[in-house]
Amino acid sequence: MKMPSYIFFKRLSNPLRIRIIDSLVKKPKTVTDLSKDLNVEQSKLSHALQCLYCCSIVHRKKKGKNIIYSLNKETILPIFKLIQKHEKKFCKICRSK
């Protein structure tokens, strides 16, 4: 049986999912908004968002006919802020980009 942390980090190992998270850090968005921002087909986004939703990395809320996706600000946002802090201080490869 795979450890929960393995499953969680596997959800984050996809570049599209990371791009989605980066976009949602700014504000909640619909799939249409994300599609325009990231220049990605809605079907690919929907699949990636479902993977992120399964681990509560993103939340979704229905508003009229639209579903608004937002980042889990309780846990995921602090994790990403910590990662950014780590990158700036310790990651030579990240700083060179």
Side-chain angles (χ1 to χ4, degrees):
M1 185 170 147
K2 293 179 181 172
M3 296 172 30
S5 58
Y6 173 85
I7 295 167
F8 176 82
F9 282 108
K10 185 150 177 67
R11 298 282 180 202
L12 298 177
S13 67
N14 179 288
L16 176 57
R17 294 180 201 147
I18 296 297
R19 290 176 60 209
I20 290 169
I21 291 168
D22 282 339
S23 183
L24 292 177
V25 164
K26 298 168 191 140
K27 68 177 189 172
K29 297 178 181 179
T30 64
V31 174
T32 303
D33 295 334
L34 287 166
S35 179
K36 289 176 186 174
D37 289 351
L38 304 176
N39 196 26
V40 176
E41 295 173 17
Q42 288 189 13
S43 59
K44 288 183 181 181
L45 282 171
S46 294
H47 179 72
L49 285 162
Q50 181 60 33
C51 290
L52 294 172
Y53 178 75
C54 287
C55 284
S56 293
I57 294 169
V58 298
H59 297 300
R60 57 187 181 197
K61 184 170 93 175
K62 191 159 175 85
K63 188 173 182 182
K65 293 182 179 182
N66 294 315
I67 297 175
I68 310 294
Y69 288 90
S70 61
L71 195 59
N72 180 334
K73 294 194 187 303
E74 181 182 341
T75 56
I76 301 304
L77 188 57
I79 288 171
F80 272 82
K81 286 184 178 184
L82 183 62
I83 289 169
Q84 288 173 338
K85 182 179 178 180
H86 176 86
E87 287 173 348
K88 287 178 184 174
K89 189 170 183 177
F90 299 109
C91 187
K92 293 176 185 175
I93 294 171
C94 299
R95 285 187 300 220
S96 67
K97 291 186 178 184

